[in-house]
Amino acid sequence: MHPALRLFDAIEPDDLRIFLPHVMGARIVRLALGGGRSGVPPATIDERDEVFLSALFDFARWMGDAWFRFKTEGIDNVPASGPALMVGNHNGGLIVLDSLLTFVAVWDRFGPKRAMYGMGHDALQWDPLLRRYAGRFGALGAGHQSAHAAFDKGHLVIVYPGSEYDSFRPFSMRDRVELAGRTGFVKLALRAGVPIVPVVGVGGQETLVVLSRGERLASLLGLHDRLRADVMPLVISMPWGLTSGLLPYVPLPAQMTISFLEPIRFDGLGPGDADDERTVLRCYEKVERVMQAELTRLHRGRIPWLGSLDGAVPSTW
């Protein structure tokens, strides 16, 4: 069975409408206007569905090969067992496909039992339909309590501190890591006593062209309170042309590479150090510096959309 058909078979027939651009766009607008929050508790680690993930990852793997010519580096830097916090740069605007391919790379290297969870945007929990599939995927609520529940079971958790500020950085800044000064991930790692595995992606920011984050417009519209977002981006994307970045789009076929770096361990520090802002900032700057150096390396010699002629090690799938 073709991967797309297998994925559709794993989705409830009545839920397939979410993939229609106008339907998804309407749901996002509804959330932005402050309506449609389900009141259902955030997804938990027990909702992760390996059968659904197998179908989804088959589709993502096919798409990664055929459309994005996906490559990986350093997957063996991910610990084979025990809890760890993976910290990534965010790319691709609203549709962060390199995040999905990161999950696939870990699944293919370690198998389905090496569970990996993502700290998703609150909006994934507000909409009843999105929340159901967020749970099946392993996208947890953004609170630290959810991450600790996964760590306690020895699982992996990935977080993208820069969130929409990073994923909607302008095209001219696609070689920048923008963690936006958000240090919560450092506090989480220190309190849980887990290493940080930096994950750096390149190419995802070429699946559309972001012209502006639209921070001033977002402020005028009150999106921080309505959607927990500080951007109202202006982008060029398929098939709409010049439009809002909050409208679903068809990603451009940019070559993508994900690099997994060696774990960072803050030896000599413990849970109590999470309350020392100077210590936290020092750890944050180290992680950001390591990630920026890697993204700079990945961009060296890169041709937009085509990738690097001497790029990364091809993926194993």
Side-chain angles (χ1 to χ4, degrees), residues 21-97:
H22 69 284
V23 174
M24 184 175 289
R27 298 180 92 92
I28 293 171
V29 169
R30 186 183 178 197
L31 289 173
L33 293 176
R37 302 189 183 190
S38 66
V40 177
T44 67
I45 63 173
D46 297 327
E47 296 176 44
R48 180 176 177 270
D49 183 348
E50 291 182 7
V51 174
F52 170 72
L53 287 174
S54 178
L56 174 63
F57 291 168
D58 275 356
F59 175 74
R61 195 179 297 110
W62 167 76
M63 182 176 60
D65 274 341
W67 197 244
F68 300 114
R69 299 160 331 270
F70 182 59
K71 301 176 182 179
T72 61
E73 284 188 349
I75 186 63
D76 287 334
N77 284 323
V78 179
S81 62
L85 179 64
M86 304 170 70
V87 177
N89 64 321
H90 229 5
N91 300 287
L94 182 68
I95 305 177
V96 285
L97 291 170

Side-chain angles (χ1 to χ4, degrees), residues 185-194 266 269-274 279-280 283:
F185 72 92
V186 173
K187 298 176 182 179
L188 173 61
L190 290 174
R191 287 173 180 150
V194 299
F266 301 114
L269 300 181
D273 293 295
T279 298
V280 168
C283 295

Side-chain angles (χ1 to χ4, degrees), residues 194-218:
V194 299
I196 288 177
V197 179
V199 181
V200 180
V202 67
Q205 208 64 10
E206 298 166 10
T207 58
L208 79 169
V209 176
V210 179
L211 301 178
S212 169
R213 287 190 181 101
E215 295 160 273
R216 183 176 299 179
L217 180 57

Side-chain angles (χ1 to χ4, degrees), residues 16-299:
L16 288 173
R17 67 186 187 280
I18 192 64
F19 294 99
L20 299 174
H22 69 284
V23 174
M24 184 175 289
R27 298 180 92 92
I28 293 171
V29 169
R30 186 183 178 197
L31 289 173
L33 293 176
R37 302 189 183 190
S38 66
V40 177
T44 67
I45 63 173
D46 297 327
E47 296 176 44
R48 180 176 177 270
D49 183 348
E50 291 182 7
V51 174
F52 170 72
L53 287 174
S54 178
L56 174 63
F57 291 168
D58 275 356
F59 175 74
R61 195 179 297 110
W62 167 76
M63 182 176 60
D65 274 341
W67 197 244
F68 300 114
R69 299 160 331 270
F70 182 59
K71 301 176 182 179
T72 61
E73 284 188 349
I75 186 63
D76 287 334
N77 284 323
V78 179
S81 62
L85 179 64
M86 304 170 70
V87 177
N89 64 321
H90 229 5
N91 300 287
L94 182 68
I95 305 177
V96 285
L97 291 170
D98 57 351
S99 300
L100 174 60
L101 292 171
T102 298
F103 275 79
V104 177
V106 172
W107 173 287
D108 285 351
R109 175 61 184 86
F110 299 107
K113 299 305 179 184
R114 184 62 168 132
M116 179 174 168
Y117 294 88
M119 305 292 284
H121 193 284
D122 287 347
L124 291 176
Q125 313 293 331
W126 292 341
D127 181 280
L129 180 56
L130 293 178
R131 187 253 178 253
R132 182 159 69 250
Y133 284 94
R136 297 179 71 184
F137 179 77
L140 306 174
H144 286 193
Q145 184 177 355
S146 299
H148 282 289
F151 291 147
D152 289 345
K153 297 292 186 180
H155 300 318
L156 299 168
V157 174
I158 189 165
V159 63
Y160 295 89
S163 191
E164 80 286 349
Y165 188 81
D166 199 14
S167 69
F168 281 111
R169 66 191 186 279
F171 190 77
S172 61
M173 299 170 61
R174 64 191 182 280
D175 60 347
R176 293 263 302 272
V177 172
E178 295 278 1
L179 302 186
R182 297 167 182 169
T183 59
F185 72 92
V186 173
K187 298 176 182 179
L188 173 61
L190 290 174
R191 287 173 180 150
V194 299
I196 288 177
V197 179
V199 181
V200 180
V202 67
Q205 208 64 10
E206 298 166 10
T207 58
L208 79 169
V209 176
V210 179
L211 301 178
S212 169
R213 287 190 181 101
E215 295 160 273
R216 183 176 299 179
L217 180 57
S219 178
L220 290 173
L221 294 175
L223 290 189
H224 182 82
D225 294 329
R226 296 176 182 274
L227 196 58
R228 204 177 64 78
D230 295 315
V231 301
M232 184 60 182
L234 181 66
V235 308
I236 298 174
S237 63
M238 294 198 307
W240 317 114
L242 184 65
T243 187
S244 166
L246 300 185
L247 185 67
Y249 62 92
V250 177
L252 295 169
Q255 189 279 324
M256 291 187 187
T257 297
I258 302 291
S259 178
F260 301 84
L261 305 183
E262 293 183 3
I264 297 175
R265 294 177 171 85
F266 301 114
D267 296 331
L269 300 181
D273 293 295
D275 297 320
D276 185 333
E277 292 299 329
R278 292 179 63 182
T279 298
V280 168
L281 181 59
R282 188 165 64 249
C283 295
Y284 167 90
E285 289 173 343
K286 178 177 181 179
V287 175
E288 189 176 54
R289 184 168 60 251
V290 168
M291 294 177 67
Q292 182 59 67
E294 181 65 1
L295 185 56
T296 298
R297 183 188 71 83
L298 290 171
H299 264 280

